[in-house]
Amino acid sequence: MRKYNSDIVKVKSRGAGKLAAKHLAAAKKELQANNTKAFYEELFKGFYGYLSHKLNLSYADLDRETVAATLKARGISEGLITQLLETIDLCEMARYAPVTHISPTEVFEKAKNIINAIENEI
């Protein structure tokens, strides 16, 4: 058990899904409360926290190019990487300006599916 928990990188990677689930649950609460700004904020935090832990990157290194290159190196499909980056961009844009072309419920389901797909591929 000590050996299993001695590698901090692997421990963080294993806990990434739980961190994402925590933020997704908080985002769902905000969605139900009809607080879209807080909803997108939680989704954004969930993605960044998940990627930071899963890919062992600091928050300062989480930019589009680094995330895409690291995911590609880990064998994640190009289409999934594109979906992830588009969803992160949408969350970031929606935090500061209203987004009308997609419903928050669709964004939530898309985010959940992307995180599950990455978990299955890594």
Side-chain angles (χ1 to χ4, degrees):
M1 197 61 166
R2 283 185 187 160
K3 186 176 180 180
Y4 182 72
N5 290 326
S6 65
D7 188 355
I8 294 172
V9 173
K10 287 185 180 177
V11 170
K12 283 178 68 175
S13 181
R14 285 192 305 264
K18 289 179 184 177
L19 178 70
K22 182 180 116 181
H23 283 288
L24 285 174
K28 190 171 187 173
K29 277 185 181 177
E30 296 298 342
L31 181 62
Q32 291 169 345
N34 209 19
N35 188 351
T36 55
K37 185 175 179 180
F39 165 74
Y40 285 112
E41 183 73 31
E42 282 297 328
L43 274 184
F44 188 76
K45 285 180 185 176
F47 273 128
Y48 267 61
Y50 174 76
L51 292 170
S52 173
H53 282 71
K54 194 68 174 178
L55 303 176
N56 192 33
L57 296 171
S58 69
Y59 281 97
D61 293 334
L62 287 174
D63 58 66
R64 293 178 61 82
E65 293 79 24
T66 306
V67 168
T70 307
L71 286 172
K72 195 171 191 172
R74 294 263 185 118
I76 302 297
S77 68
E78 196 69 41
L80 186 58
I81 294 170
T82 304
Q83 282 184 343
L84 171 71
L85 295 177
E86 286 173 355
T87 307
I88 289 174
D89 289 344
L90 179 69
C91 289
E92 194 166 20
M93 186 174 66
R95 287 169 47 203
Y96 304 109
V99 175
T100 57
H101 67 279
I102 188 166
S103 76
T105 307
E106 290 177 46
V107 175
F108 178 77
E109 289 301 319
K110 189 174 179 182
K112 198 164 65 168
N113 292 336
I114 289 170
I115 290 172
N116 287 335
I118 291 173
E119 280 290 314
N120 291 336
E121 287 191 29
I122 290 185

